[in-house]
Amino acid sequence: QVQLVESGGGLVQTGGSLQLSCAASGTIFSIKTMGWYRQAPGKQRELVATITSGGSTDYTDSVKGRFIIFRDNAKNTVYLQMNSLKPEDTSVYYCYAEITVVGRYWGQGTQVTVSS
């Protein structure tokens, strides 16, 4: 059984920063890609950032230059450092991990609210 537990969401003012973390636990052979999606009310889920096991990253255009994704493979944890936050970043953020053999697992979601 694999579990992903997220932490770090909250309320922040425009221009502020937050760091999300997502730790995977359980029977894990290895983790390939990890990443973050977000979903605002009434909108489709949006892929925000991904990182491969080798450290290659990719970002959606709206967060490039503001968000940084990184991971600690020894801890099976992925992070999302969010800087210069804007009200339009307000969403529930979900992490995921592509785990060898067993497939994709999701975190429970964490609310990020950016006030104007």
Side-chain angles (χ1 to χ4, degrees), residues 27-85:
T27 304
I28 298 172
F29 299 100
S30 64
I31 302 178
K32 296 183 284 188
T33 300
M34 303 182 82
W36 294 89
Y37 279 78
R38 66 186 179 186
Q39 187 167 21
K43 295 188 177 181
Q44 288 188 331
R45 188 171 290 194
E46 174 188 28
L47 179 60
V48 177
T50 62
I51 183 167
T52 68
S53 57
S56 296
T57 60
D58 197 14
Y59 301 89
T60 191
D61 286 346
S62 62
V63 308
K64 286 180 180 177
R66 300 188 298 122
F67 290 11
I68 301 170
I69 187 171
F70 58 101
R71 62 193 280 178
D72 183 334
N73 290 330
K75 296 181 178 179
N76 290 330
T77 299
V78 63
Y79 304 89
L80 186 68
Q81 176 65 40
M82 304 184 294
N83 303 317
S84 301
L85 282 161

Side-chain angles (χ1 to χ4, degrees), residues 1-4 22 27 95-99 102-107:
Q1 188 73 12
V2 175
Q3 188 176 20
L4 271 63
C22 171
T27 304
C95 67
Y96 76 92
E98 298 281 359
I99 299 174
V102 296
R104 179 175 288 198
Y105 280 78
W106 292 91

